[in-house]
Amino acid sequence: DTAVSQTPKYLVTQMGNDKSIKCEQNLGHDTMYWYKQDSKKFLKIMFSYNNKELIINETVPNRFSPKSPDKAHLNLHINSLELGDSAVYFCASGLAGGNEQFFGPGTRLTVL
Amino acid sequence: QQQVKQSPQSLIVQKGGIPIINCAYENTAFDYFPWYQQFPGKGPALLIAIRPDVSEKKEGRFTISFNKSAKQFSLHIMDSQPGDSATYFCAASRGTYKYIFGTGTRLKVLA
């Protein structure tokens, strides 16, 4: 299936832990994104990468560190997790020069 | 200037009704206005999109109306069905790297 995939789908962890979320797209896109959707369903962009280079960093705490090993992957590592980090995190991809973004199924992070 | 305001927050209509969701923006540099549909437990999926040089776009039962002078755009769902029950997000972007999303509208279509 051509798609944007994320692992894990659910992540439950304690405050202070470090965790990673992985994202892969097989759509041949050169741009990838991380979005955060909070409990009120509000969707906000966190990061945007084009050809493995960081394009947008939307005032996200530096506890969040994205890493793009290649154009098809964009992983999100979070250090020292806080209660307020609990949310659904969506990865998305698209083409530079195009506008449509394709979203993954999301990772629900719960910090206890 | 970067906000996209969306209303209503929630909407309940009878099957066959025409729900209308409205969005307003401030930044006249935005050049792409998509609508995304999100079902519970799923990621948002593109429904329909419009550029500011067009005042209306239809795709199946979904229509976007765009008013450039008022800086507003809206989504109309014709002959709504229970399967249309979802959360709908408008968005705006300038260039290709950044969407600004509206706050979402939770639509419920009653059978």
Side-chain angles (χ1 to χ4, degrees):
Chain A
D1 283 346
T2 52
V4 181
S5 58
Q6 294 179 230
T7 53
K9 187 159 175 66
Y10 299 97
L11 192 49
V12 181
T13 189
Q14 299 287 333
M15 272 176 53
N17 284 351
D18 303 339
K19 289 293 177 186
S20 292
I21 306 171
K22 294 187 176 181
C23 177
E24 177 181 4
Q25 55 91 7
N26 61 7
L27 298 166
H29 292 160
D30 51 9
T31 306
M32 296 185 73
Y33 311 82
W34 277 109
Y35 285 86
K36 179 180 180 180
Q37 187 170 47
D38 62 23
S39 57
K40 295 185 178 179
K41 296 278 194 181
F42 186 58
L43 264 169
K44 191 172 191 309
I45 190 165
M46 300 173 68
F47 300 102
S48 168
Y49 268 74
N50 177 252
N51 281 320
K52 304 193 298 175
E53 288 192 24
L54 180 65
I55 303 295
I56 292 172
N57 179 342
E58 280 291 302
T59 60
V60 177
N62 58 16
R63 297 183 295 104
F64 291 79
S65 52
K67 283 189 173 50
S68 181
D70 56 56
K71 285 196 309 184
H73 295 84
L74 181 62
N75 304 321
L76 184 65
H77 187 76
I78 316 170
N79 290 326
S80 304
L81 278 154
E82 300 177 357
L83 292 176
D85 298 331
S86 295
V88 181
Y89 292 84
F90 287 100
C91 177
S93 72
L95 284 170
N99 288 102
E100 183 175 359
Q101 294 184 18
F102 294 78
F103 283 76
T107 295
R108 181 176 292 277
L109 171 65
T110 303
V111 182
L112 304 174
Chain B
Q1 270 244 323
Q2 288 286 73
Q3 278 189 323
V4 177
K5 295 182 180 178
Q6 184 172 346
S7 64
Q9 191 173 11
S10 63
L11 193 50
I12 300 174
V13 299
Q14 294 288 338
K15 178 182 172 181
I18 305 176
I20 300 172
I21 306 170
N22 300 299
C23 284
Y25 63 97
E26 297 171 359
N27 188 344
T28 55
F30 288 141
D31 59 6
Y32 180 74
F33 300 89
W35 285 91
Y36 276 76
Q37 180 187 54
Q38 185 179 26
F39 293 105
K42 304 290 185 185
L46 180 68
L47 197 59
I48 187 173
I50 199 167
R51 295 193 182 276
D53 53 347
V54 176
S55 61
E56 185 177 277
K57 184 174 181 181
K58 287 184 184 181
E59 284 186 7
R61 296 183 294 107
F62 300 92
T63 300
I64 300 179
S65 297
F66 190 86
N67 185 330
K68 189 174 180 178
S69 60
K71 293 186 283 186
Q72 295 174 349
F73 58 110
S74 59
L75 176 70
H76 301 231
I77 305 175
M78 306 302 175
D79 187 27
S80 58
Q81 301 296 313
D84 296 329
S85 297
T87 300
Y88 292 82
F89 293 92
C90 63
S93 73
R94 177 189 176 191
T96 59
Y97 296 123
K98 183 174 175 178
Y99 278 179
I100 305 296
F101 277 96
T103 48
T105 296
R106 189 169 293 186
L107 172 67
K108 188 171 177 65
V109 181
L110 302 175

